[in-house]
Amino acid sequence: MAVNERLQDRLSAPLEKRKASGEYRSLRVSDPNDEMLNLANNDYLNLAQASFMREAGSAALDRFGCSASASPLISGYGPAHDSLIGVLKEWHQFEAGLLWNSGYVANQALLSGLPCKADLVLADRLIHNSMISGILASGARLKRYRHCDLDHLESLLQESATGAEVVFVVTESVFSMDGDYPDLFRLAEMRERYGFFWIVDEAHALGWYGENGSGLVEESGVGEQVDALVGTLGKALGSAGAYTLFGDSLIAGFLVNFASEFIYSTYLPPSSAAIAERAVEHVAAAGALRARGRASSRAIRERLRTIGYDVALTDSPIVSIPLGSATRAMDAAQRLEAAGIRVGVARPPTVPEGTSRLRISLKADLSPESIDRLIGAVEELEPGA
């Protein structure tokens, strides 16, 4: 059946515009069992295919079945979910927590539910779309400070906070598109001075930082100052879903009662919770693997800068190679794929116009041979072109 003609016209124009700009997106099958060197997904510790993770999932399937089959307030919250929450609270040293079906849902529920119209939200300019979506839905006043510019944040705190009922400060720890991070220790000191409610999304720091692998909040020693921490189960932990942790159980109780995303959705499968719990156990003991991954990240960045690419000198698992136009970035990714290396491409509207880039997601156990292969392939792209 043909689409209504007026709707067809409305949908076709923006799609044609995206095709012309090189920003058009389409689904394609990516088989984890192919022979590609996959540096596009966020499985930073290569846990998603690990045998011990599969065993944990299989045992949970045998015990609990394939689905939670209900929302958490009906009968969907089971022993696997409850056990995982306990493990996560201990891992991060937080008082209370909730599981969510995805990181997007977790951020949207948190940031649409806690701020209100009388409040002020100060957010890093490059926070994830899920956070922006939640803040806008809340009706709170939003001001965005320059990326990782804490001097700018402090000036906004001094100039804008007057009259706000509650001030929220929102940041990622490791930023998903740039792979850089703010000074969390200074942010913690600022919270002590200004008394804002601090939300940190640790999605891309989990498993990579901290003595126990729980992220940059742990590594920076600022957990007691963080009011709400967001984590994901589907990246370094190799499972699916997400979680939020709180320094005060009142917040968890409020969201359980008022967050539509929590109340009205069938809960994540028990097997996902069991797999994630097994991952936390593994990650907490994987200090040597984390050290190897961070050393590889630093070495790769230094080599990329040597051959002319302006990459951030951090040690995170995300290496962002700026290429400018969307068409150039897509062409570069296709050339890497032809060389057997799969990487991500970030284009507008995900990133600002003119800042399209290759997004390389490192693996902590990347071999020296694979690193050489990656650098050699990227070198062929001619950074000055």
Side-chain angles (χ1 to χ4, degrees), residues 166-227:
V166 180
V167 177
F168 294 79
V169 170
V170 181
T171 186
E172 297 176 39
S173 53
V174 172
F175 280 83
S176 61
M177 289 295 109
D178 291 75
D180 56 355
Y181 42 80
D183 182 346
L184 294 186
F185 186 76
R186 182 178 172 194
L187 273 164
E189 291 181 325
M190 290 168 67
R191 182 194 175 279
E192 289 293 307
R193 290 202 305 276
Y194 295 101
F196 52 76
F197 187 99
W198 189 18
I199 299 175
V200 181
D201 186 337
E202 286 266 63
H204 295 277
L206 296 178
W208 200 263
Y209 293 101
E211 183 178 352
N212 296 306
S214 70
L216 267 177
V217 167
E218 179 197 0
E219 180 148 315
S220 302
V222 298
E224 290 187 1
Q225 285 75 42
V226 174
D227 296 286

Side-chain angles (χ1 to χ4, degrees), residues 96-113:
L98 296 172
L99 298 179
W100 306 83
N101 286 358
S102 73
Y104 197 103
V105 164
N107 274 328
Q108 183 159 286
L110 184 67
L111 283 157
S112 65

Side-chain angles (χ1 to χ4, degrees), residues 85 88-89 94 96-100 102-103 105-110 199-200 227-232 242-246 251-252 255 262:
I85 280 292
L88 291 170
K89 289 191 296 183
F94 274 69
L98 296 172
L99 298 179
W100 306 83
S102 73
V105 164
N107 274 328
Q108 183 159 286
L110 184 67
I199 299 175
V200 181
D227 296 286
L229 181 148
V230 183
T232 180
Y243 59 94
T244 47
L245 297 173
F246 311 106
I251 301 167
L255 292 172
F262 187 85

